Amino acid sequence: MAAHLMPVGAPARDHLDWPFFAESHRALAAELDGFIARGGLGEIDHADADGACKKLVKVLGDAGILRNCVPAAFGGVSEEIESRSLCLIRETLAYADGLADFAFAMQGLGTGAISLSGSDELKQAILPKVARGELISAFALTEPEAGSDVAAMATAARRDGDEYVLDGEKIFISNGGIADVYTVFARTGEAPGTRGISAFVVFADNPGFSIVERIETIAPHPLARVRFDNCRIPASQLLGEPGEGFKIAMRTLDIFRPSVAAAALGFARRALDEAVAHAKSRKMFGATLADLPTAQSTLGEMATAIDAASLLTVRTAWRRDVQKLPITREAAMAKLTATENAQWVIDQALQMFGGRGVRVGEITERLYREIRALRIYEGATEVQKLIIGRELMKAAR
């Protein structure tokens, strides 16, 4: 089913007046709103998630939006990947359509480790093409028995002369099956636990790499289980130093985790706008739904939940961009609050729509499915709570 985009206009931009944003961000927001209003995303066929995402990567590349995913030296917009821009783009795209947000986000997440730790040769070979939408990227960390517990990773890589040989499996890999390049984490054994993990670039045509299974989820996205069976890659495709993989993964996630919160905000803002429009037009008890105090109260709570999450999210992005400070705790707080609040906001919006809200094809129904995954991927809600608690204990010491 093709998506009909943004019937209630663009997301609210009041928060762009907050001191966390600069004029460049307001210009970016206006550019994004104009792009979508002109139909820049086109019709998005959710029944063909693979085809839709391939098309969206090309569209976003042609529009220059993917340039925000890589550093300026390799075709990007700013010297370093900027969190506030990522957040604005993801919030805007998620408001319009979840697959559009997904296509953008994975170009950044899939190559974030390359931007941080890749050799100049790898960066030059990959990043400009990612920015132009000519290569699709993926981030391969999760395993069947190692999701939140990265230390339990079983995929292994051994050095063999000028090559590394990878063996193992990864699961729930976003863009799995359509990606051209994968950032892969594997155990190299320099030390126990997470200190013995390294990061690699694997291309889809590297011998020994295969797609084992395509995975269908509650909201259609390209997902797969991938296998490395005596997969030989040049040693030059190592990112950073041996044993630095976990640090690289966490640095990458810290950059993009605030943008997950922003995507949740986009979904929540769309749900609120849909609920307000519906409440104003829905005739009930001789008035409209919007005239009922219970509806007004619910809408007030929804708006407050969104603003609370938005403040945490942009505070985190600003702290990273401007103050150049660590954001592990702040990113966890933003991701936790934004995704949980968005789930509640969308549920309330669906409730206001009544039976119509659960019909397949309704925006509230789509949003309800889209938000659920955000409470799990890039660190489930429970993991975010652990991260926050751990960081508090560190500060107390």
Side-chain angles (χ1 to χ4, degrees):
M1 165 182 312
H4 300 283
L5 300 176
M6 306 182 75
V8 292
R13 296 301 192 188
D14 296 351
H15 60 301
L16 290 181
D17 292 334
W18 295 349
F20 299 110
F21 291 109
E23 189 56 42
S24 60
H25 300 110
R26 289 182 276 276
L28 173 61
E31 177 188 338
L32 291 167
D33 290 345
F35 168 72
I36 292 175
R38 293 190 300 271
L41 293 176
E43 295 258 318
I44 300 174
D45 185 0
H46 291 157
D48 178 17
D50 285 7
C53 285
K54 290 177 183 178
K55 177 183 173 184
L56 284 163
V57 167
K58 179 69 167 60
V59 164
L60 294 170
D62 289 346
I65 295 171
L66 293 180
R67 293 179 59 221
N68 291 276
C69 293
V70 304
F74 303 96
V77 173
S78 52
E79 184 176 348
E80 295 181 348
I81 299 172
E82 210 222 36
S83 287
R84 287 170 296 173
S85 295
L86 291 177
C87 287
L88 272 175
I89 294 168
R90 290 201 64 182
E91 183 175 322
T92 304
L93 293 177
Y95 185 98
D97 190 279
L99 278 182
D101 164 63
F102 174 88
F104 171 81
M106 286 312 304
Q107 290 296 92
L109 180 62
T111 57
I114 300 172
S115 295
L116 289 171
S117 303
S119 65
D120 285 343
E121 291 77 13
L122 276 177
K123 290 177 182 177
Q124 195 58 58
I126 295 169
L127 297 181
K129 293 180 179 179
V130 165
R132 294 192 297 266
E134 296 169 4
L135 281 181
I136 296 177
S137 66
F139 184 83
L141 179 65
T142 301
E143 298 187 1
E145 301 299 327
S148 300
D149 183 10
V150 178
M153 181 179 295
T155 296
R158 58 182 174 83
R159 185 74 184 252
D160 185 14
D162 293 332
E163 296 180 317
Y164 275 95
V165 183
L166 278 66
D167 288 284
E169 286 192 358
K170 300 289 183 178
I171 198 167
F172 295 118
I173 304 307
S174 296
N175 276 347
I178 68 169
D180 304 290
V181 58
Y182 295 74
T183 296
V184 179
F185 299 86
R187 182 167 300 286
T188 44
E190 289 75 18
T194 57
R195 292 177 296 162
I197 293 170
S198 299
F200 302 89
V201 170
V202 176
F203 293 96
D205 59 0
N206 282 142
F209 172 83
S210 63
I211 304 298
V212 180
E213 173 191 14
R214 296 304 302 275
I215 301 171
E216 295 185 13
T217 57
I218 190 171
H221 295 86
L223 284 171
R225 179 164 60 101
V226 304
R227 178 176 294 158
F228 308 92
D229 187 5
N230 199 37
C231 178
R232 289 182 171 270
I233 61 172
S236 58
Q237 288 174 210
L238 172 73
L239 297 175
E241 297 296 325
E244 289 186 346
F246 180 74
K247 289 181 181 179
I248 292 170
M250 294 305 104
R251 286 177 65 202
T252 303
L253 291 174
D254 271 355
I255 293 172
F256 289 93
R257 194 165 277 152
S259 77
V260 180
L265 285 168
F267 291 144
R269 290 191 195 280
R270 181 62 181 269
L272 177 60
D273 286 353
E274 294 287 339
V276 168
H278 175 71
K280 289 169 66 177
S281 63
R282 179 74 162 92
K283 297 293 189 290
M284 184 173 286
F285 304 122
T288 65
L289 180 59
D291 293 318
L292 300 180
T294 52
Q296 293 174 11
S297 175
T298 298
L299 291 169
E301 287 186 85
M302 292 162 71
T304 302
I306 290 171
D307 259 21
S310 185
L311 281 162
L312 283 173
T313 301
V314 298
R315 183 273 301 259
T316 301
W318 174 82
R319 179 180 167 92
R320 178 183 177 271
D321 291 343
V322 177
Q323 293 186 304
K324 309 296 183 184
L325 293 172
I327 59 167
T328 300
R329 183 182 70 174
E330 291 77 9
M333 287 178 170
K335 203 258 181 187
L336 162 70
T337 304
T339 55
E340 291 295 326
N341 285 10
Q343 178 82 69
W344 180 83
V345 166
I346 292 166
D347 185 67
Q348 295 306 303
L350 189 149
Q351 191 75 9
M352 280 194 177
F353 273 78
R356 177 185 159 194
V358 295
R359 288 186 62 181
V360 172
E362 290 286 343
I363 296 230
T364 48
E365 179 265 346
R366 174 165 61 81
L367 290 169
Y368 197 87
R369 289 185 288 105
E370 289 280 6
I371 189 57
R372 193 60 188 85
L374 266 66
R375 293 170 58 205
I376 297 173
Y377 86 75
E378 288 195 42
T381 290
E382 293 75 16
V383 173
Q384 303 312 315
K385 293 177 182 178
L386 290 174
I387 291 171
I388 296 163
R390 182 190 65 201
E391 293 298 310
L392 285 173
M393 292 304 101
K394 283 183 182 178
R397 289 196 294 269

